[in-house]
Structure formats: C-alpha cells, structure tokens
Amino acid sequence: MITITLLVFLLQLIPGLGVTNALQYAGAYSIPAFGSFEPWRMITVSLVHSTSSPFHILFNMLFLWLMGRQVESLIGTGKFVALYLISTLGGSVAVLFLASPLQPVVGASGAIYGLLATFFVIARKSGGNTTGLVILIGINLVFSFVTASISWQAHVGGLITGGVVALILVQTPRRSQRNQQIALLAAVVGVLIVLTALRSVLTF
C-alpha cells in the first residue's frame, strides 16, 4: 500500500497529468444528478494526497508503516487488504452523507483510522492496555474536527467501519468460520453500497 501510494503521489506532482483530479472523491461523484457518476473514486481517494503540504502523505504513510505492519502480522495480508479497502469505502460513505457533495477530499485517512480501530479491538480482545491508543485516537479526532482542511467525516467513517470489520475478524478467527467471516464482511460492504445507493437518490 505504501509503495503504490507513494508512486501515485509522485505522479500527482507532474504538472498537467491530472492524477489528483482523476482519483480524488467528492459526494457528487456518487450522485448521478450531478452529471458525473464515478463511484470508484470512493476507493481511489486513498491513493491521492494533498500536494500543497508533504505532511499529509508523510503522516499517513508513517501511521500505515507503524500500525499497518502490526495489524497485518496479526490478521494476515488478505484480511489486511480487505480491512483497508472496506475502511476506505466507509470513510467515503461518511463523506457522502455528512460533507458538501461538491467538496473534494483526498487521502488514506479513512483507511488509517480503520487500522487504528482494528488495533484497538484486537488489543481489547487480548486483554491489552488500550489507554494510550484511546488517547491517540481521541487527540487525532479532536484535531480533525478543529482543522477546516481535514475531512473529519472520512476519519469517523473509517474508524467506525474499521471497528465493525475488526469485530467480525476477532469473532470468527477459526478456519472453520471462514465462510461466516466472508459472508459478514460481504454484508458490511453490502450495507455501505446500499447506503451509497440511497444517498444517490436523496436530495438533501
């Protein structure tokens, strides 16, 4: 994920290539009435970051490297990728419902918050001390709400979705529960798709 995201960021820096505009997300891309129905941007948004400040991608990739490696080692690569993508989708659904449909957003923060939620759920399940993690999540959420340029909607959506995915993973750890796990994860994706479809026909 880090390598792909960094490569995309380098492409973003090339003038005239239009990578940011092609991959960023806004609610309008999920609402046909706005004339440009491109729902895949709900996932591709995680690949692009702000080019006006290097701190956006640096902080996200730092979190992904520090937290992502640990989560991946605990749940496996396949489940990690699923978690990352579903959390991204959840963040975009929150943006769709809670932000202006014309406000573009970029970044992997929805996925990062999904990883934070997963690490919290796993730590709680194993009886670990989660105080520091709760403080970290709380500080970041507060910063999200008070900083105008940050999409708090994507952060909250990714956090909630990642938490739900994590609960499914820790409750179905055995190989014999694999089909149940897949069905539950598919149900989460299904709910997110239904919510997206509902918002696409609502006018508020």
Short mmCIF file of all heavy atoms in Angstrom, two decimals, residues 159-204:
data_model
loop_
_atom_site.label_atom_id
_atom_site.label_comp_id
_atom_site.label_asym_id
_atom_site.label_seq_id
_atom_site.Cartn_x
_atom_site.Cartn_y
_atom_site.Cartn_z
N LEU A 159 -13.11 4.99 10.97
CA LEU A 159 -12.97 4.46 12.33
C LEU A 159 -14.11 3.49 12.66
O LEU A 159 -13.87 2.38 13.15
CB LEU A 159 -12.95 5.61 13.33
CG LEU A 159 -12.72 5.24 14.80
CD1 LEU A 159 -11.28 4.80 15.01
CD2 LEU A 159 -13.05 6.44 15.71
N ILE A 160 -15.34 3.91 12.38
CA ILE A 160 -16.49 3.07 12.68
C ILE A 160 -16.48 1.80 11.83
O ILE A 160 -16.66 0.68 12.34
CB ILE A 160 -17.80 3.84 12.45
CG1 ILE A 160 -17.91 4.99 13.47
CG2 ILE A 160 -19.01 2.91 12.56
CD1 ILE A 160 -19.08 5.92 13.21
N THR A 161 -16.23 1.97 10.54
CA THR A 161 -16.23 0.81 9.65
C THR A 161 -15.11 -0.16 10.00
O THR A 161 -15.31 -1.38 10.04
CB THR A 161 -16.08 1.26 8.19
OG1 THR A 161 -17.10 2.21 7.87
CG2 THR A 161 -16.19 0.08 7.24
N GLY A 162 -13.93 0.38 10.26
CA GLY A 162 -12.81 -0.47 10.65
C GLY A 162 -13.10 -1.23 11.93
O GLY A 162 -12.72 -2.40 12.08
N GLY A 163 -13.78 -0.57 12.87
CA GLY A 163 -14.15 -1.23 14.11
C GLY A 163 -15.10 -2.39 13.89
O GLY A 163 -14.96 -3.46 14.50
N VAL A 164 -16.07 -2.19 13.00
CA VAL A 164 -17.02 -3.26 12.68
C VAL A 164 -16.30 -4.44 12.02
O VAL A 164 -16.52 -5.60 12.37
CB VAL A 164 -18.15 -2.73 11.76
CG1 VAL A 164 -19.02 -3.88 11.27
CG2 VAL A 164 -18.99 -1.70 12.50
N VAL A 165 -15.43 -4.13 11.06
CA VAL A 165 -14.67 -5.19 10.39
C VAL A 165 -13.81 -5.94 11.40
O VAL A 165 -13.73 -7.18 11.38
CB VAL A 165 -13.79 -4.60 9.27
CG1 VAL A 165 -12.83 -5.65 8.72
CG2 VAL A 165 -14.66 -4.05 8.14
N ALA A 166 -13.17 -5.21 12.29
CA ALA A 166 -12.31 -5.84 13.30
C ALA A 166 -13.11 -6.76 14.21
O ALA A 166 -12.64 -7.86 14.55
CB ALA A 166 -11.61 -4.76 14.12
N LEU A 167 -14.29 -6.34 14.61
CA LEU A 167 -15.14 -7.18 15.45
C LEU A 167 -15.48 -8.49 14.75
O LEU A 167 -15.50 -9.56 15.37
CB LEU A 167 -16.42 -6.43 15.84
CG LEU A 167 -16.26 -5.33 16.89
CD1 LEU A 167 -17.55 -4.54 17.03
CD2 LEU A 167 -15.85 -5.92 18.24
N ILE A 168 -15.75 -8.40 13.46
CA ILE A 168 -16.04 -9.61 12.69
C ILE A 168 -14.82 -10.53 12.67
O ILE A 168 -14.94 -11.75 12.87
CB ILE A 168 -16.45 -9.24 11.25
CG1 ILE A 168 -17.81 -8.53 11.25
CG2 ILE A 168 -16.50 -10.48 10.35
CD1 ILE A 168 -18.22 -7.97 9.91
N LEU A 169 -13.65 -9.95 12.45
CA LEU A 169 -12.44 -10.76 12.36
C LEU A 169 -12.10 -11.45 13.67
O LEU A 169 -11.71 -12.63 13.68
CB LEU A 169 -11.27 -9.88 11.92
CG LEU A 169 -11.35 -9.27 10.51
CD1 LEU A 169 -10.13 -8.42 10.21
CD2 LEU A 169 -11.50 -10.36 9.45
N VAL A 170 -12.25 -10.75 14.79
CA VAL A 170 -11.88 -11.36 16.07
C VAL A 170 -12.93 -12.35 16.56
O VAL A 170 -12.62 -13.23 17.38
CB VAL A 170 -11.63 -10.28 17.16
CG1 VAL A 170 -10.50 -9.35 16.75
CG2 VAL A 170 -12.90 -9.50 17.48
N GLN A 171 -14.16 -12.22 16.06
CA GLN A 171 -15.21 -13.15 16.46
C GLN A 171 -15.26 -14.39 15.58
O GLN A 171 -15.95 -15.36 15.91
CB GLN A 171 -16.57 -12.44 16.44
CG GLN A 171 -16.73 -11.34 17.47
CD GLN A 171 -16.60 -11.83 18.90
OE1 GLN A 171 -17.00 -12.96 19.22
NE2 GLN A 171 -16.03 -11.01 19.77
N THR A 172 -14.56 -14.36 14.46
CA THR A 172 -14.54 -15.52 13.55
C THR A 172 -13.10 -15.89 13.20
O THR A 172 -12.72 -15.87 12.03
CB THR A 172 -15.33 -15.21 12.27
OG1 THR A 172 -14.77 -14.03 11.65
CG2 THR A 172 -16.81 -14.98 12.56
N PRO A 173 -12.28 -16.23 14.19
CA PRO A 173 -10.85 -16.45 13.94
C PRO A 173 -10.51 -17.83 13.38
O PRO A 173 -9.45 -18.00 12.78
CB PRO A 173 -10.24 -16.26 15.33
CG PRO A 173 -11.31 -16.74 16.25
CD PRO A 173 -12.61 -16.34 15.62
N ARG A 174 -11.40 -18.80 13.58
CA ARG A 174 -11.05 -20.18 13.21
C ARG A 174 -11.27 -20.42 11.72
O ARG A 174 -12.12 -19.80 11.08
CB ARG A 174 -11.88 -21.16 14.03
CG ARG A 174 -11.58 -21.12 15.53
CD ARG A 174 -12.29 -22.24 16.27
NE ARG A 174 -13.74 -22.11 16.18
CZ ARG A 174 -14.46 -21.35 17.00
NH1 ARG A 174 -13.87 -20.65 17.96
NH2 ARG A 174 -15.77 -21.29 16.87
N ARG A 175 -10.49 -21.37 11.19
CA ARG A 175 -10.59 -21.72 9.78
C ARG A 175 -12.00 -22.21 9.44
O ARG A 175 -12.52 -21.96 8.35
CB ARG A 175 -9.57 -22.80 9.44
CG ARG A 175 -9.49 -23.15 7.96
CD ARG A 175 -8.43 -24.20 7.71
NE ARG A 175 -7.11 -23.69 8.03
CZ ARG A 175 -6.35 -23.01 7.17
NH1 ARG A 175 -6.80 -22.76 5.95
NH2 ARG A 175 -5.15 -22.60 7.53
N SER A 176 -12.63 -22.89 10.40
CA SER A 176 -13.98 -23.41 10.17
C SER A 176 -15.02 -22.29 10.06
O SER A 176 -16.14 -22.52 9.60
CB SER A 176 -14.37 -24.35 11.31
OG SER A 176 -14.39 -23.66 12.56
N GLN A 177 -14.64 -21.08 10.48
CA GLN A 177 -15.56 -19.94 10.43
C GLN A 177 -15.30 -19.04 9.22
O GLN A 177 -15.86 -17.95 9.13
CB GLN A 177 -15.43 -19.12 11.71
CG GLN A 177 -15.84 -19.85 12.98
CD GLN A 177 -15.57 -19.02 14.22
OE1 GLN A 177 -14.43 -18.63 14.48
NE2 GLN A 177 -16.61 -18.73 14.98
N ARG A 178 -14.47 -19.51 8.31
CA ARG A 178 -14.06 -18.67 7.18
C ARG A 178 -15.25 -18.22 6.34
O ARG A 178 -15.35 -17.05 5.96
CB ARG A 178 -13.05 -19.42 6.31
CG ARG A 178 -12.45 -18.56 5.20
CD ARG A 178 -11.27 -19.26 4.54
NE ARG A 178 -10.65 -18.41 3.54
CZ ARG A 178 -11.00 -18.39 2.27
NH1 ARG A 178 -11.97 -19.18 1.84
NH2 ARG A 178 -10.39 -17.59 1.42
N ASN A 179 -16.14 -19.15 6.02
CA ASN A 179 -17.31 -18.78 5.20
C ASN A 179 -18.19 -17.77 5.92
O ASN A 179 -18.72 -16.83 5.30
CB ASN A 179 -18.12 -20.03 4.85
CG ASN A 179 -17.40 -20.92 3.84
OD1 ASN A 179 -16.51 -20.47 3.12
ND2 ASN A 179 -17.78 -22.19 3.80
N GLN A 180 -18.35 -17.94 7.22
CA GLN A 180 -19.13 -17.00 8.00
C GLN A 180 -18.47 -15.62 7.99
O GLN A 180 -19.14 -14.60 7.86
CB GLN A 180 -19.27 -17.50 9.44
CG GLN A 180 -20.06 -16.56 10.35
CD GLN A 180 -20.06 -17.02 11.80
OE1 GLN A 180 -19.44 -18.02 12.14
NE2 GLN A 180 -20.74 -16.28 12.65
N GLN A 181 -17.16 -15.62 8.13
CA GLN A 181 -16.41 -14.36 8.13
C GLN A 181 -16.56 -13.63 6.80
O GLN A 181 -16.83 -12.42 6.76
CB GLN A 181 -14.93 -14.65 8.40
CG GLN A 181 -14.07 -13.42 8.51
CD GLN A 181 -12.62 -13.79 8.77
OE1 GLN A 181 -11.84 -13.93 7.83
NE2 GLN A 181 -12.26 -13.97 10.04
N ILE A 182 -16.41 -14.37 5.71
CA ILE A 182 -16.55 -13.77 4.38
C ILE A 182 -17.95 -13.21 4.18
O ILE A 182 -18.14 -12.11 3.65
CB ILE A 182 -16.22 -14.80 3.28
CG1 ILE A 182 -14.73 -15.16 3.33
CG2 ILE A 182 -16.59 -14.26 1.90
CD1 ILE A 182 -14.33 -16.28 2.40
N ALA A 183 -18.96 -13.97 4.64
CA ALA A 183 -20.34 -13.53 4.49
C ALA A 183 -20.60 -12.25 5.28
O ALA A 183 -21.28 -11.33 4.79
CB ALA A 183 -21.29 -14.64 4.96
N LEU A 184 -20.06 -12.16 6.48
CA LEU A 184 -20.26 -10.97 7.30
C LEU A 184 -19.54 -9.76 6.71
O LEU A 184 -20.09 -8.65 6.70
CB LEU A 184 -19.76 -11.24 8.72
CG LEU A 184 -20.61 -12.21 9.56
CD1 LEU A 184 -19.91 -12.55 10.86
CD2 LEU A 184 -21.98 -11.60 9.83
N LEU A 185 -18.33 -9.96 6.21
CA LEU A 185 -17.61 -8.86 5.57
C LEU A 185 -18.34 -8.40 4.31
O LEU A 185 -18.44 -7.19 4.04
CB LEU A 185 -16.18 -9.28 5.23
CG LEU A 185 -15.25 -9.55 6.42
CD1 LEU A 185 -13.90 -10.05 5.94
CD2 LEU A 185 -15.09 -8.29 7.27
N ALA A 186 -18.86 -9.36 3.56
CA ALA A 186 -19.64 -9.01 2.37
C ALA A 186 -20.89 -8.24 2.75
O ALA A 186 -21.32 -7.32 2.03
CB ALA A 186 -20.01 -10.28 1.60
N ALA A 187 -21.47 -8.59 3.89
CA ALA A 187 -22.66 -7.87 4.37
C ALA A 187 -22.33 -6.42 4.70
O ALA A 187 -23.12 -5.51 4.41
CB ALA A 187 -23.24 -8.58 5.59
N VAL A 188 -21.16 -6.20 5.30
CA VAL A 188 -20.73 -4.83 5.61
C VAL A 188 -20.60 -4.03 4.32
O VAL A 188 -21.08 -2.89 4.22
CB VAL A 188 -19.40 -4.83 6.38
CG1 VAL A 188 -18.87 -3.40 6.53
CG2 VAL A 188 -19.57 -5.48 7.74
N VAL A 189 -19.93 -4.62 3.34
CA VAL A 189 -19.78 -3.95 2.04
C VAL A 189 -21.16 -3.70 1.43
O VAL A 189 -21.42 -2.62 0.87
CB VAL A 189 -18.92 -4.79 1.08
CG1 VAL A 189 -18.88 -4.16 -0.31
CG2 VAL A 189 -17.50 -4.94 1.63
N GLY A 190 -22.04 -4.68 1.54
CA GLY A 190 -23.39 -4.53 1.00
C GLY A 190 -24.14 -3.38 1.63
O GLY A 190 -24.81 -2.60 0.94
N VAL A 191 -24.02 -3.24 2.94
CA VAL A 191 -24.68 -2.14 3.64
C VAL A 191 -24.13 -0.80 3.16
O VAL A 191 -24.89 0.16 2.92
CB VAL A 191 -24.49 -2.27 5.17
CG1 VAL A 191 -24.92 -0.99 5.88
CG2 VAL A 191 -25.29 -3.45 5.70
N LEU A 192 -22.82 -0.71 2.99
CA LEU A 192 -22.20 0.53 2.52
C LEU A 192 -22.66 0.87 1.10
O LEU A 192 -22.90 2.04 0.77
CB LEU A 192 -20.68 0.41 2.57
CG LEU A 192 -20.07 0.29 3.98
CD1 LEU A 192 -18.57 0.02 3.89
CD2 LEU A 192 -20.33 1.54 4.80
N ILE A 193 -22.80 -0.16 0.26
CA ILE A 193 -23.28 0.06 -1.10
C ILE A 193 -24.73 0.52 -1.10
O ILE A 193 -25.11 1.43 -1.84
CB ILE A 193 -23.11 -1.22 -1.95
CG1 ILE A 193 -21.62 -1.50 -2.18
CG2 ILE A 193 -23.84 -1.09 -3.29
CD1 ILE A 193 -21.35 -2.82 -2.88
N VAL A 194 -25.54 -0.10 -0.25
CA VAL A 194 -26.96 0.30 -0.15
C VAL A 194 -27.07 1.74 0.33
O VAL A 194 -27.87 2.53 -0.20
CB VAL A 194 -27.72 -0.65 0.80
CG1 VAL A 194 -29.10 -0.08 1.13
CG2 VAL A 194 -27.86 -2.03 0.17
N LEU A 195 -26.27 2.11 1.33
CA LEU A 195 -26.29 3.48 1.82
C LEU A 195 -25.89 4.46 0.71
O LEU A 195 -26.49 5.53 0.57
CB LEU A 195 -25.34 3.63 3.01
CG LEU A 195 -25.78 2.97 4.32
CD1 LEU A 195 -24.67 3.05 5.36
CD2 LEU A 195 -27.05 3.64 4.85
N THR A 196 -24.89 4.07 -0.07
CA THR A 196 -24.46 4.91 -1.19
C THR A 196 -25.58 5.07 -2.20
O THR A 196 -25.85 6.17 -2.70
CB THR A 196 -23.22 4.31 -1.87
OG1 THR A 196 -22.16 4.20 -0.92
CG2 THR A 196 -22.77 5.17 -3.04
N ALA A 197 -26.26 3.96 -2.50
CA ALA A 197 -27.36 4.00 -3.47
C ALA A 197 -28.51 4.87 -2.96
O ALA A 197 -29.11 5.64 -3.73
CB ALA A 197 -27.85 2.58 -3.75
N LEU A 198 -28.80 4.76 -1.67
CA LEU A 198 -29.88 5.57 -1.10
C LEU A 198 -29.55 7.06 -1.18
O LEU A 198 -30.39 7.88 -1.56
CB LEU A 198 -30.12 5.17 0.36
CG LEU A 198 -30.82 3.83 0.60
CD1 LEU A 198 -30.85 3.51 2.09
CD2 LEU A 198 -32.23 3.86 0.03
N ARG A 199 -28.30 7.39 -0.84
CA ARG A 199 -27.91 8.80 -0.88
C ARG A 199 -27.91 9.34 -2.30
O ARG A 199 -28.18 10.52 -2.53
CB ARG A 199 -26.51 8.97 -0.27
CG ARG A 199 -25.99 10.41 -0.29
CD ARG A 199 -26.88 11.32 0.55
NE ARG A 199 -26.45 12.71 0.47
CZ ARG A 199 -26.91 13.60 -0.40
NH1 ARG A 199 -27.83 13.23 -1.28
NH2 ARG A 199 -26.47 14.84 -0.39
N SER A 200 -27.66 8.47 -3.26
CA SER A 200 -27.60 8.93 -4.65
C SER A 200 -28.95 9.38 -5.18
O SER A 200 -29.02 10.11 -6.17
CB SER A 200 -27.04 7.81 -5.55
OG SER A 200 -27.97 6.75 -5.68
N VAL A 201 -30.03 8.93 -4.52
CA VAL A 201 -31.37 9.32 -4.99
C VAL A 201 -32.05 10.30 -4.04
O VAL A 201 -33.16 10.76 -4.31
CB VAL A 201 -32.27 8.08 -5.18
CG1 VAL A 201 -31.68 7.17 -6.24
CG2 VAL A 201 -32.45 7.32 -3.87
N LEU A 202 -31.40 10.60 -2.92
CA LEU A 202 -31.97 11.55 -1.97
C LEU A 202 -31.50 12.96 -2.30
O LEU A 202 -30.39 13.16 -2.80
CB LEU A 202 -31.57 11.19 -0.54
CG LEU A 202 -32.08 9.85 0.00
CD1 LEU A 202 -31.51 9.60 1.39
CD2 LEU A 202 -33.60 9.83 0.04
N THR A 203 -32.30 13.94 -2.00
CA THR A 203 -31.93 15.33 -2.26
C THR A 203 -31.98 16.11 -0.97
O THR A 203 -33.00 16.68 -0.60
CB THR A 203 -32.89 15.97 -3.28
OG1 THR A 203 -34.24 15.81 -2.81
CG2 THR A 203 -32.76 15.30 -4.64
N PHE A 204 -30.88 16.11 -0.24
CA PHE A 204 -30.79 16.92 0.98
C PHE A 204 -29.38 17.43 1.13
O PHE A 204 -28.49 17.00 0.43
CB PHE A 204 -31.22 16.13 2.22
CG PHE A 204 -30.39 14.92 2.51
CD1 PHE A 204 -29.16 15.03 3.16
CD2 PHE A 204 -30.83 13.66 2.14
CE1 PHE A 204 -28.41 13.90 3.45
CE2 PHE A 204 -30.08 12.54 2.44
CZ PHE A 204 -28.87 12.66 3.08
#
